[in-house]
Amino acid sequence: DAGITQSPRHKVTETGTPVTLRCHQTENHRYMYWYRQDPGHGLRLIHYSYGVKDTDKGEVSDGYSVSRSKTEDFLLTLESATSSQTSVYFCAIRENLAGGQSEQFFGPGTRLTVL
Amino acid sequence: QQQVKQSPQSLIVQKGGISIINCAYENTAFDYFPWYQQFPGKGPALLIAIRPDVSEKKEGRFTISFNKSAKQFSLHIMDSQPGDSATYFCAASKETSGSRLTFGEGTQLTVNP
């Protein structure tokens, strides 16, 4: 599992409430990613981070913010949750290989339901 | 805009048969093409990946075929087993651009015993 944990694993919340999901890694990887998974869409990138305090937007970033104050933690925040943000959220890390190549490994996911 | 299109959406194969899943991409800057396998309730797990300097890569029963000119790549599962029943995703990225993965829609594979 590449030393990735996500918390909480399941959450039910109400429309309009703030929600923060946490991704924690133990192997000092520089790159971390947040994806959401929805039927018929595969996984889509929300935000990613390339270092402490360095983040950038993905293809579905509206309504989400992220923070990375230390290498091991990457937080995803929904400032005011909406029903369209009901999804399964996956965190990933990039592991660097020899020759400048890399691979991404995913955490176990967080199932979020917004009522 | 879906930059990676995957087909079929679902696939049923008999045990021992060959499963074939296809993907097509649009962005010619992509230079890394992984396949992920996902079981219910789990995160996607990297299965096999290819880079465009080769046309085929094989790992055990799993083979990726890559056609750069057609902008297509496919996953072949030989001697398919019931334990291979899962959802498979193709993906693509440009490694010098943060390795942001663009995924296909997924294929639900069922291997009947």
Side-chain angles (χ1 to χ4, degrees):
Chain A
D1 62 357
I4 306 169
T5 57
Q6 293 185 231
S7 60
R9 295 293 314 279
H10 302 270
K11 186 170 182 67
V12 179
T13 191
E14 294 188 350
T15 298
T17 59
V19 177
T20 294
L21 308 183
R22 179 182 183 236
C23 178
H24 180 77
Q25 54 124 341
T26 59
E27 299 179 2
N28 209 36
H29 296 292
R30 180 182 169 200
Y31 280 78
M32 298 182 75
Y33 308 81
W34 277 108
Y35 294 86
R36 61 177 289 175
Q37 183 175 24
D38 305 288
H41 291 278
L43 287 87
R44 292 177 292 175
L45 181 66
I46 304 171
H47 282 280
Y48 71 104
S49 170
Y50 48 95
V52 173
K53 299 192 188 303
D54 292 323
T55 65
D56 205 349
K57 296 179 179 180
E59 63 176 297
V60 290
S61 60
D62 287 349
Y64 301 95
S65 62
V66 290
S67 65
R68 189 150 178 220
S69 60
K70 45 187 178 178
T71 299
E72 57 266 37
D73 289 326
F74 191 30
L75 304 181
L76 177 70
T77 297
L78 292 65
E79 300 290 347
S80 178
T82 67
S83 58
S84 64
Q85 294 176 312
T86 292
S87 187
V88 182
Y89 291 86
F90 288 100
C91 174
I93 57 90
R94 188 179 91 168
E95 183 168 317
N96 292 327
L97 308 175
Q101 298 177 346
S102 64
E103 293 177 339
Q104 279 191 37
F105 297 93
F106 285 79
T110 294
R111 182 174 294 275
L112 176 67
T113 302
V114 184
L115 301 176
Chain B
Q1 181 185 4
Q2 186 68 36
Q3 292 195 53
V4 178
K5 288 197 172 292
Q6 184 172 344
S7 63
Q9 192 173 18
S10 63
L11 180 62
I12 300 174
V13 174
Q14 291 301 118
K15 179 182 176 182
I18 302 173
S19 304
I20 302 174
I21 305 171
N22 300 298
C23 283
Y25 63 97
E26 298 173 8
N27 188 344
T28 56
F30 287 149
D31 57 8
Y32 174 65
F33 303 89
W35 284 89
Y36 285 84
Q37 179 189 56
Q38 185 180 32
F39 294 104
K42 303 293 186 182
L46 181 63
L47 188 63
I48 186 172
I50 197 168
R51 290 174 172 85
D53 51 343
V54 297
S55 61
E56 185 174 284
K57 182 174 181 180
K58 183 175 181 180
E59 290 184 2
R61 295 185 294 109
F62 301 91
T63 300
I64 299 179
S65 297
F66 182 78
N67 185 330
K68 187 174 181 178
S69 61
K71 294 187 288 184
Q72 295 176 345
F73 58 111
S74 60
L75 176 70
H76 296 235
I77 306 174
M78 311 301 288
D79 187 26
S80 298
Q81 299 297 312
D84 296 331
S85 297
T87 301
Y88 292 81
F89 293 95
C90 64
S93 73
K94 183 171 184 292
E95 290 203 282
T96 56
S97 183
S99 299
R100 293 167 290 178
L101 288 170
T102 298
F103 281 83
E105 301 93 331
T107 296
Q108 177 87 47
L109 172 65
T110 301
V111 182
N112 289 327

